[in-house]
Amino acid sequence: MNQPKRRDKAATRAKLLDAARLRFARQGYDGTGVREIAADVGVDPALVFRYFGSKERLHEEAVRVEIPAGLTDDPARPLPHITDVLLREVVFAERFTGEHPLLGMLRSAGHPAVRDQLRTQLCEGYLPGFAERMSGENPALRAEMVGALLLGMGVMRSIVGSPALSETSFEETRVLVARLVTTLSSPSP
C-alpha cells in the first residue's frame, strides 16, 4: 500500500518565501499572484493561504529585513556600534536567497500597505533608538538621516549595483560610515 508523500512544512514554507521574495522583487506586489508563487514551488495555491493567511501577510514576511533583536535596547550602546551591525547584517548581507528583500519592498512601495509596513519598520523600529542617543538639536531629523544613509547604501549596493560601493569591502566601508554617523550624532557646535 502506497503511503501519501508527507510534506515538510518548514521546507515548503521556506521555499514559498524564497519564491515570493523573487517574484515581489521582480514584479512588485500588484504584479505578483499567489498562483505564480505556488507554481514556482510546485504546490497548490491553498498552501500559501494555509501557511501565511493572505498574500499581504506573505509579502510582509518575504520583504521583511530582519533587524537583529535588541539592537537598540541598551541605551549605553553607541550609535556607531549599532549602525555597524546594521551595515553588516542588512546592507552587506549575503544571506538572502534570490533578491534582497529591500528590492521587493521598494518595487511594491506604491501599495499603501507596503508603504505603511516600511514606515513602521523604519520609523517605529530602530530610528527612535537612534534619536535617543543624540543630544542637541533635531535628534529625530538626524536619526532619519542616519537611516537614509543606510537605506540609500542598501539601494546602491543591492538594486543599483553601483561599482564603488558594490566592490568595496565591509571593513573599508564601515570606517567611512562610522565617521558620518559620528558627525550626524554629535551635537552642533
Side-chain angles (χ1 to χ4, degrees):
M1 197 191 250
N2 287 339
Q3 292 287 330
K5 185 177 172 184
R6 296 204 65 123
R7 182 173 308 282
D8 179 344
K9 181 180 178 180
T12 302
R13 192 175 194 288
K15 288 177 185 175
L16 285 167
L17 276 172
D18 289 342
R21 204 170 279 125
L22 280 171
R23 289 276 181 180
F24 289 132
R26 293 178 181 158
Q27 299 167 211
Y29 181 87
D30 292 326
T32 300
V34 169
R35 289 174 200 242
E36 296 168 314
I37 295 167
D40 290 345
V41 178
V43 299
D44 188 286
L47 280 180
V48 173
F49 295 101
R50 182 179 302 153
Y51 294 157
F52 300 97
S54 67
K55 176 183 169 183
E56 188 172 298
R57 287 193 23 220
L58 170 63
H59 182 268
E60 286 174 12
E61 198 165 330
V63 301
R64 180 180 299 123
V65 176
E66 293 299 325
I67 305 297
L71 190 59
T72 58
D73 289 352
D74 179 1
R77 187 174 198 179
L79 186 55
H81 293 174
I82 294 168
T83 56
D84 190 63
V85 171
L86 289 170
L87 185 68
R88 182 182 64 247
E89 297 294 323
V90 178
V91 177
F92 276 80
E94 301 294 335
R95 69 182 182 277
F96 303 110
T97 303
E99 303 284 353
H100 195 292
L102 181 61
L103 182 56
M105 193 173 278
L106 291 175
R107 281 231 169 94
S108 303
H111 196 271
V114 175
R115 259 195 323 273
D116 290 343
Q117 178 190 355
L118 183 57
R119 185 179 310 106
T120 298
Q121 190 172 3
L122 294 173
C123 298
E124 295 173 19
Y126 59 91
L127 291 181
F130 287 8
E132 290 168 4
R133 287 166 173 74
M134 297 180 175
S135 59
E137 294 181 20
N138 299 316
L141 172 62
R142 291 184 288 132
E144 288 184 16
M145 291 173 72
V146 171
L149 170 68
L150 294 171
L151 185 62
M153 289 177 67
V155 168
M156 293 296 286
R157 284 193 87 239
S158 301
I159 298 168
V160 175
S162 64
L165 195 53
S166 295
E167 294 169 11
T168 302
S169 72
F170 165 73
E171 292 300 324
E172 188 175 349
T173 305
R174 75 188 291 206
V175 171
L176 296 171
V177 169
R179 280 194 230 154
L180 291 167
V181 170
T182 299
T183 299
L184 280 170
S185 59
S186 301
S188 301

